[in-house]
Amino acid sequence: MFLIVVFLGGGASRTDVQSLALLRPLALLVMAYSLFKMRLDDVRRFPVAFALLGSAVLLTVLHLVPLPPALWTALPGRDLIAEIDRASGIGAIWRPLTMVPAMTRNALYSLTVPMAVLLLAVRLDDRERAMLVPVFILFGVASGLLGLVQVAGNTGLPFLYAQTTMGTANGLFANRNHGGVLLACMLPLLAAYAIGRSNSRDGQRTLWLVCAITIFLVALVLVIGSRAGLLCTLLAILLSPFLALDRLVGAPRATRRLAMLVYAGGCACLVLLGLIFVLAARAESLRRLLASDATGDRRLQVWEPVIAMTRQYFPFGSGIGSYIKVFQANEPRDVLTLNYSNHAHNDWLEVGMTAGLPGLAILLATVTAVVILGWRAWRRGGQPNPLLARTATIVLLLLGLASIGDYPLRVPSMMAFFVIAFLWLEARPAPEQASDGDEHRRRCRRR
């Protein structure tokens, strides 16, 4: 139920979204309830997830701690504010590390949603966490269906957010790129769901249903106009079939050949579908991708000054969440437009600019954890659900690549999705699932 509220009201990252006035207090209540019910074993099973998210929360809090004037003015990049203080007669006052405290407080509040999801999800058992796969698939399908209504309708009623692009298939989001990335992430989830139910009585019907939903989502990505969604979809199509490798190990040669033919035929059908949409002049994503000009793309123009500002405020950063105001204060004249830059549209760069070296260290730790856990999932196993862990690696890869050209993980619903995917990847056997030999040794020690 909490995930439903998150996806209905957490599809935008702006600070003035009205639904956040309900979502964030609800997240705080959920956190309080979860902490009241929390067990130490729940935390021990997911130490990496707690360490990474806890580090992000702690770093944000540290950015809000007031510092002595002598220490604050010695931080890199604070010269302008120090001059304003002297010119206005304010004098030496204690200030937090961040240059925009209000936005840093907002960033701290935004972390209540992923923290609430983490505290709730760790209390589920492995079977219940696996049951979240069809839940997220339903969210993706609902977003796609809403996107169709938004494209077909002539009114703004189907759009959930005031600050959005009218006439595009945004779905449950204010930004069509975020909607496109979510649809791309549904493809490995659909593949995992079909593989997991292949041995059930309704396995054949599930396979046909998954194929129909996949074709629908891919077609919608072509219409939605999201270049990030299109590129992530292509990558998801290429990687998702590898989830079935375990089923082919030891299978007859004829079965393996049939699987290769199905894979090649599926890719050919998707290419044919793309050509049909191109000829029908409905492939907005392809048109935007082919028509893009790297020299004229504002996102690429912004990256160079962001890198310069990263060096200017290194090693502590300008303050988590401070991008808008800090960029405006240092914005080069040649990139000025009538529209303001709300984000760097490259979260890897923006974290370096605003969170500095500590933020980059948390990013590096996250990437390292995903690589190590992903290697364990694909090579050694050991998770309660290896298929789900491998699916999570593809999902996390897509979200990381999408963050190169956008900011999907600043949206509450995508934050929640990321947390669940990470838990799928990190999950390890519960204490009660220990082997009989381990239980026998424990009894002997007690004697």
Side-chain angles (χ1 to χ4, degrees):
M1 295 300 296
F2 182 64
L3 285 176
I4 292 175
V5 176
V6 170
F7 270 82
L8 287 179
S13 62
R14 289 176 59 96
T15 59
D16 56 354
V17 175
Q18 296 179 1
S19 58
L20 296 181
L22 169 65
L23 179 58
R24 290 178 178 176
L26 178 61
L28 287 172
L29 293 176
V30 170
M31 289 173 59
Y33 167 77
S34 302
L35 288 172
F36 181 73
K37 296 286 187 177
M38 186 66 60
R39 298 175 302 174
L40 187 58
D41 288 340
D42 298 329
V43 180
R44 288 174 176 170
R45 291 193 64 199
F46 300 96
V48 180
F50 277 97
L52 292 175
L53 188 53
S55 299
V57 173
L58 177 61
L59 181 60
T60 309
V61 171
L62 290 177
H63 276 220
L64 291 169
V65 176
L67 302 174
L71 179 59
W72 190 89
T73 54
L75 295 175
R78 270 63 178 180
D79 300 338
L80 176 60
I81 297 181
E83 292 178 8
I84 294 175
D85 288 346
R86 287 193 296 267
S88 60
I90 294 178
I93 60 174
W94 287 55
R95 292 181 182 274
L97 185 148
T98 176
M99 299 178 66
V100 189
M103 298 304 293
T104 304
R105 286 193 293 269
N106 175 73
L108 180 61
Y109 299 151
S110 70
L111 294 176
T112 57
V113 174
M115 184 60 76
V117 172
L118 175 63
L119 294 176
L120 272 182
V122 296
R123 297 185 59 243
L124 304 177
D125 58 33
D126 298 321
R127 181 185 62 85
E128 291 169 334
R129 273 189 295 273
M131 290 172 60
L132 293 176
V133 171
V135 172
F136 283 110
I137 292 175
L138 288 176
F139 289 147
V141 172
S143 182
L145 291 174
L146 181 59
L148 282 182
V149 175
Q150 292 167 343
V151 171
N154 295 321
T155 66
L157 294 179
F159 292 89
L160 301 182
Y161 303 96
Q163 298 294 333
T164 188
T165 305
M166 297 296 180
T168 59
N170 301 332
L172 296 174
F173 299 88
N175 187 319
R176 60 182 170 186
N177 288 323
H178 303 156
V181 171
L182 177 69
L183 297 184
C185 291
M186 293 302 103
L187 301 187
L189 293 188
L190 286 165
Y193 184 71
I195 295 170
R197 297 186 62 85
S198 59
N199 294 328
S200 61
R201 288 182 299 177
D202 59 344
Q204 194 71 22
R205 286 183 296 179
T206 301
L207 179 61
W208 284 108
L209 177 62
V210 165
C211 291
I213 296 175
T214 300
I215 293 175
F216 165 71
L217 295 181
V218 172
L220 187 59
V221 169
L222 292 171
V223 176
I224 201 174
S226 168
R227 289 172 286 188
L230 175 61
L231 295 176
C232 288
T233 298
L234 294 176
L235 185 60
I237 292 172
L238 294 175
L239 295 180
S240 295
F242 289 97
L243 295 172
L245 283 179
D246 281 354
R247 303 300 175 98
L248 298 179
V249 175
R253 180 177 299 179
T255 302
R256 294 198 299 270
R257 288 179 178 176
L258 178 61
M260 294 177 62
L261 288 175
V262 170
Y263 179 47
C267 293
C269 290
L270 291 171
V271 171
L272 179 62
L273 181 63
L275 292 176
I276 292 174
F277 272 81
V278 170
L279 296 176
R282 292 301 300 166
E284 179 66 17
S285 297
L286 284 174
R287 287 206 304 271
R288 294 185 70 234
L289 181 64
L290 298 177
S292 63
D293 181 8
T295 61
D297 194 332
R298 176 165 171 78
R299 298 184 182 186
L300 296 180
Q301 293 177 349
V302 165
W303 290 356
E304 183 176 354
V306 168
I307 295 174
M309 295 175 202
T310 301
R311 293 193 295 264
Q312 177 182 352
Y313 296 102
F314 195 82
F316 302 107
S318 62
I320 296 175
S322 65
Y323 173 83
I324 295 178
K325 299 298 183 181
V326 172
F327 185 83
Q328 289 175 347
N330 299 274
E331 188 172 8
R333 185 176 302 175
D334 56 347
V335 299
L336 284 172
T337 65
L338 296 177
N339 299 321
Y340 75 97
S341 177
N342 64 331
H343 284 289
H345 288 83
N346 185 324
D347 257 353
W348 303 89
L349 291 180
E350 186 170 338
V351 168
M353 170 188 162
T354 58
L357 186 60
L360 292 177
I362 295 175
L363 274 185
L364 178 61
T366 304
V367 173
T368 303
V370 171
V371 170
I372 294 175
L373 295 173
W375 177 265
R376 184 185 70 175
W378 286 92
R379 300 293 296 178
R380 297 195 297 110
Q383 290 91 342
N385 193 331
L387 173 62
L388 199 53
R390 294 166 185 171
T391 304
T393 59
I394 299 178
V395 170
L396 295 175
L397 174 63
L398 296 177
L399 293 175
L401 293 177
S403 298
I404 296 176
D406 208 64
Y407 48 95
L409 294 182
R410 295 182 184 272
V411 177
S413 56
M414 297 298 278
M415 288 184 190
F417 186 34
F418 179 89
V419 169
I420 297 299
F422 196 92
L423 295 183
W424 287 338
L425 179 60
E426 193 189 355
R428 60 189 67 188
E432 58 268 18
Q433 295 176 349
S435 64
D436 294 337
D438 294 338
E439 180 64 24
H440 175 70
R441 284 190 291 271
R442 284 197 294 268
R443 290 178 180 176
C444 291
R445 284 195 296 268
R446 285 197 295 267
R447 292 175 184 173

